[in-house]
Amino acid sequence: MLTLLEIENVKNPVPVGDKNQTAEFVFVIISNYPRLQGLLFTVILILYITSLMGNIPIGIIIKLNPALHVPMYYFISNLSLVDICYTSVTIPKMLAILLSEDRTISFPGCAAQLYFFIALGPTECFLLTAMAYDRFTAICNPLRCVSLMNKRWCIQLVAGSWVSGLLLSLGQTSLIVTLPFCADNRINHFFCDVPPLLSLACGDTSKKEIALFTACVLIVIIPSALILVSYSRIISTILKITSAQQRHKAFSTCSSHLIVIALFYSSATAMYLRPTSSYTPERDKFLALFYSVVTPTLNPIIYSLRSKDIKKALRSLILRKSLNPNCKQPATA
């Protein structure tokens, strides 16, 4: 069932291509089970708060603790920033839609949401690749690790990841927003994303679809190939270690990174590296919910629970705060 607002928009769809009117899209969040809307709002809100409460403290702990000022945790803090942005680009609008009867988003607003959401995907890909290279130097070239992963090079890798993501998204977003949209302006999705917007386009869009698919393949394949090469060398080096304790320690430093890589690439591949004809709104909505909400929530849990350094720094920070509470400020005259 559709709400009265959605029915009205179906009867009188906004002609997106009409330059004389302000173009709007209408989100169709839950059409078959409207009673689940309240439950979905509660679940997404809890996941969003959990994600923020997990990612923000990681950045603060790494910033305040000098012992964590090493390349691995520098990359983790930036990955936490990406996850904060990932959820904040989509979830606030999603919650507002679920809470109110207004399910519309302007065409510029949709384009902006699409741009930043697309930009964060390549940024995370490149950060995960940089983290793999850091693990490679630490395990395979421990004597040269400090010189290879110096502060300047780490800053360049992180800056390059962000800039590359923003530039690549500019090209992909321009391909989407210039599509010939027709009368139907209903987005059967939680937010503005590539597959649902492609499904609304009319006319011959095959060339743009090929360009978008090629860009997605390159963004996924090249970083994943570099990660695969790095970890093949890492595993080969670890297996040569004679001490079982040292082998376990080496594997444990990489396991969190590998879990995050598996979560990110499996969901991204299932969503984007497939033909547009296989797009199924109901399945893809919840797949998108997984990689845009659930994965950013799991990442800090994976890193914090498996990292002894972060847990130690957190305990130290809590202990220091409990032993040295803030003194009352003297009263002013």
Side-chain angles (χ1 to χ4, degrees), residues 256-273:
S256 299
H257 184 223
L258 287 172
I259 293 171
V260 171
I261 288 172
L263 286 172
F264 178 78
Y265 276 98
S266 59
S267 56
T269 300
M271 188 68 186
Y272 297 108
L273 297 185

Side-chain angles (χ1 to χ4, degrees), residues 196-271:
L197 288 175
L198 279 176
S199 68
L200 294 182
C202 57
D204 185 13
T205 62
S206 58
K207 291 183 179 179
K208 290 190 176 184
E209 288 182 24
I210 292 172
L212 288 165
F213 182 79
T214 303
C216 290
V217 168
L218 292 176
I219 290 170
V220 172
I221 295 299
I222 293 177
S224 60
L226 293 173
I227 291 172
L228 183 63
V229 170
S230 297
Y231 271 100
S232 63
R233 295 285 302 276
I234 289 171
I235 293 172
S236 176
T237 301
I238 292 175
L239 292 176
K240 294 177 183 178
I241 300 175
T242 56
S243 171
Q245 184 178 1
Q246 290 181 347
R247 281 201 305 270
H248 180 268
K249 183 179 179 181
F251 272 121
S252 65
T253 61
C254 302
S255 58
S256 299
H257 184 223
L258 287 172
I259 293 171
V260 171
I261 288 172
L263 286 172
F264 178 78
Y265 276 98
S266 59
S267 56
T269 300
M271 188 68 186

